[in-house]
Amino acid sequence: MKLADNKATLSFSNGSPSVELPVYQGTIGPDVIDIRKLYAQTDMFTYDPGFLSTASCQSAITYIDGDKGELLYRGYPIEQLATNCNYLETCYLLLNGELPDAAQKADFEKLVTNHTMVNEQMQFFLRGFRRDAHPMAVLTGLVGGLSAFYHDSTDINNPEHRQISAIRLIAKMPTLVSMAYKYGVGQPYQYPQNNLSYAGNFLRMMFGNPCEEYKVNPVIERAMDRIFILHADHEQNASTSTVRLCGSSGTNPFAAIAAGVACLWGPAHGGANEACLNMLEDIQRMGGVAKVGEFMEKVKDKTSGVKLMGFGHRVYKNYDPRAKLMQETCNEVLAALGLENDPLFKLAKELEKIALEDEYFVSRKLYPNVDFYSGIVQRAIGIPVNLFTGIFALARTVGWIAQLNEMISDPEYKIGRPRQLYTGSVRRDVPTKR
Ligand code: SDX
């Protein structure tokens, strides 16, 4: 970042001395007012719950232009990456800043492929869960538990440890997610197959079984890989900020990523794809497209607490570019599976059409986000609804790691420790007679 030819002056109506604050600019996007010395100079904090106007860090990984509906990973538009690259190339890009050449791509794929197995002890973690445990509860435990097996690489300040932890996490997430699924359906775990692609291997571990050979459907394989790409990173969203804050204490990468998994689970964040599919199924049960108008009235009635899941975004005030690509993937997969007339897809498109013409949504700049169509395509592939967020966590692991590594490599980083506006009781004594 560099100093802008601009300064901010903070003046106070009570006659306190005004303060000059430097302004910094990045390569693209809004400038920032550097308030790091504000408390020392004014004995006051800034106040920004939800961080609507706060940049928590500087980053070179992902850029989002919410007004244009633009998403760049290391400068490359998501549309081009989703069309011309695969997920492991995207992982390499997010971690290293450049797309891999042929040799780097082959080395990276080999490295990831050779770390896909988990320690045999991991299966005994699962046995502690009820079979009907939510996969995100299982995954939060499994990812945190990984740190118990890799004492040789938990020093986050050691670049080699960060590198091998990144490979292990990227490689093992598909194995762990499929184990959580298999445990829930009472089927045996499938070991990774090194001759399959990253997405193909995941599909086989999910849907393969010991009784017959599993054949990877190339259309589904490509769709799965694209879903991973679309979810790989997204700037300083809630779970990434959680990973950064957790990692800033110096804890090991596995624990920091487990914190990200836990945060992503929430329905306002990564849990929205599961909530969106459940919402579509509820409307379908109530009568489908004929009931959309009634449902929309509930959404617009604040007292109902009903939201149009998969719609709206803190940053995008235009169409989420990932939602467009996800809708395309939906079309491809449904056509490949002969499900063009999938009633939920029709319902989703009708909901979108009505919402985009409705003043309530237009005035609030609410558009479909990445979660609006992702559930429909995952359901068509055969992924159970309660596993959608687990797939999101699998794909986002590389983004979390890249952001964590970027923070740790920044010489200016400190442990994150926000302050507060205190509104509780002033000092008082415990009554002697109670
Ligand atoms: C993800 O941050 C990221 O980058 C996240 C993510 C990523 O890749 O990491 O993109 C992934 O989390 C996508 C978002 C998935 N969540 C959902 O689809 C849940 C439904 N969406 C909302 O909960 C909401 O839109 C948020 C949480 C996504 C954003 O909330 P904000 O930015 O805090 O906005 P807001 O709640 O203040 O909404 C502004 C207005 C409010 O109405 P008013 O107070 O102005 O009258 O819009 C309304 C909200 O009530 N609103 C909605 C709505 N989303 C916002 N009303 C109905 N349905 C919705 N979905």
Side-chain angles (χ1 to χ4, degrees):
M1 73 183 184
K2 66 178 184 175
L3 265 178
D5 55 358
N6 186 11
K7 276 194 175 59
T9 306
L10 196 53
S11 56
F12 299 93
S13 55
N14 66 0
S16 306
S18 61
V19 175
E20 267 208 353
L21 299 165
V23 174
Y24 287 97
Q25 59 190 170
T27 35
I28 34 177
D31 291 352
V32 297
I33 300 171
D34 183 348
I35 56 164
R36 283 175 285 186
K37 296 195 171 58
L38 184 77
Y39 179 52
Q41 290 171 335
T42 66
D43 210 23
M44 281 192 270
F45 300 134
T46 55
Y47 182 67
D48 186 17
F51 311 121
L52 286 105
S53 301
T54 295
S56 61
C57 62
Q58 56 178 305
S59 178
I61 299 172
T62 294
Y63 177 71
I64 303 170
D65 182 321
D67 295 328
K68 284 202 291 193
E70 181 179 53
L71 169 59
L72 309 176
Y73 289 168
R74 299 284 189 182
Y76 292 111
I78 190 71
E79 295 82 356
Q80 294 180 28
L81 291 167
T83 313
N84 305 321
C85 299
N86 68 26
Y87 178 68
L88 285 186
E89 288 173 301
T90 306
C91 288
Y92 186 96
L93 170 68
L94 289 168
L95 291 169
N96 301 298
E98 296 299 336
L99 283 166
D101 60 29
Q104 290 162 333
K105 178 180 172 185
D107 289 347
F108 188 72
E109 280 177 353
K110 190 161 179 288
L111 210 45
V112 171
T113 301
N114 291 331
H115 282 87
T116 46
M117 276 207 297
V118 294
N119 188 298
E120 279 294 286
Q121 290 298 102
M122 288 299 272
Q123 60 186 300
F124 302 114
F125 271 153
L126 283 132
R127 281 194 194 160
F129 289 102
R130 288 171 32 157
R131 289 278 181 179
D132 62 352
H134 193 290
M136 287 301 279
V138 177
L139 205 53
T140 306
L142 292 179
V143 175
L146 274 179
S147 55
F149 294 91
Y150 299 111
H151 293 294
D152 66 331
S153 60
T154 51
D155 174 5
I156 203 159
N157 295 303
N158 177 330
E160 273 105 61
H161 285 201
R162 291 206 297 271
Q163 165 69 5
I164 183 60
S165 300
I167 296 296
R168 281 173 166 150
L169 279 158
I170 292 165
K172 296 177 195 311
M173 280 302 269
T175 312
L176 295 177
V177 171
S178 61
M179 287 175 81
Y181 169 63
K182 286 300 197 187
Y183 182 73
V185 296
Q187 285 184 13
Y189 307 125
Q190 299 296 300
Y191 284 100
Q193 289 293 304
N194 291 353
N195 61 334
L196 296 175
S197 72
Y198 188 86
N201 184 36
F202 175 64
L203 289 168
R204 186 186 163 281
M205 290 192 288
M206 281 286 295
F207 302 120
N209 65 60
C211 311
E212 60 207 354
E213 192 201 346
Y214 179 79
K215 292 205 61 55
V216 177
N217 175 328
V219 175
I220 307 298
E221 180 182 28
R222 181 65 192 130
M224 199 75 248
D225 193 82
R226 177 181 280 195
I227 288 170
F228 292 158
I229 292 173
L230 295 179
H231 288 85
D233 193 50
H234 212 237
E235 201 215 64
Q236 305 312 318
N237 58 83
S239 54
T240 298
S241 301
T242 300
V243 170
R244 278 179 172 257
L245 191 57
C246 184
S248 73
S249 72
T251 190
N252 68 77
F254 304 99
I257 301 304
V261 174
C263 175
L264 188 74
W265 190 1
H269 189 16
N273 50 23
E274 176 178 354
C276 181
L277 210 287
N278 291 334
M279 171 191 76
L280 292 171
E281 287 183 331
D282 287 347
I283 299 171
Q284 193 60 18
R285 251 193 310 277
M286 289 188 308
V289 172
K291 288 290 181 183
V292 166
E294 189 183 313
F295 177 77
M296 286 308 216
E297 286 318 305
K298 266 197 220 146
V299 169
K300 293 188 280 189
D301 166 11
K302 286 258 179 254
T303 59
S304 73
V306 174
K307 284 197 184 278
L308 182 56
M309 300 311 280
F311 253 72
H313 199 278
R314 173 61 58 78
V315 177
Y316 288 122
K317 300 310 170 194
N318 198 326
Y319 213 105
D320 182 335
R322 302 168 297 175
K324 277 201 185 88
L325 290 159
M326 199 64 83
Q327 193 187 65
E328 268 172 41
T329 306
C330 247
N331 279 319
E332 287 162 19
V333 169
L334 294 174
L337 298 174
L339 299 170
E340 295 87 334
N341 297 320
D342 179 287
L344 285 195
F345 189 43
K346 281 177 176 289
L347 176 60
K349 287 199 280 191
E350 184 59 23
L351 262 176
E352 175 190 341
K353 182 173 166 301
I354 293 175
L356 295 184
E357 289 159 3
D358 187 301
E359 179 48 28
Y360 176 93
F361 292 87
V362 173
S363 62
R364 292 170 176 79
K365 298 185 177 178
L366 301 176
Y367 290 86
N369 59 49
V370 67
D371 293 312
F372 191 63
Y373 288 103
S374 68
I376 298 166
V377 62
Q378 292 183 73
R379 176 176 165 274
I381 291 173
I383 293 163
V385 179
N386 69 3
L387 201 74
F388 289 175
T389 311
I391 305 274
F392 192 151
L394 185 169
R396 183 54 59 88
T397 292
V398 65
W400 288 331
I401 293 166
Q403 299 270 354
L404 178 63
N405 288 349
E406 181 180 64
M407 177 187 77
I408 298 292
S409 323
D410 176 349
E412 288 188 337
Y413 107 90
K414 296 176 180 307
I415 185 167
R417 205 303 186 188
R419 302 302 302 275
Q420 62 179 12
L421 175 68
Y422 178 68
T423 55
S425 295
V426 293
R427 181 189 170 84
R428 53 183 172 161
D429 299 323
V430 174
T432 43
K433 289 237 176 315
R434 278 185 296 156

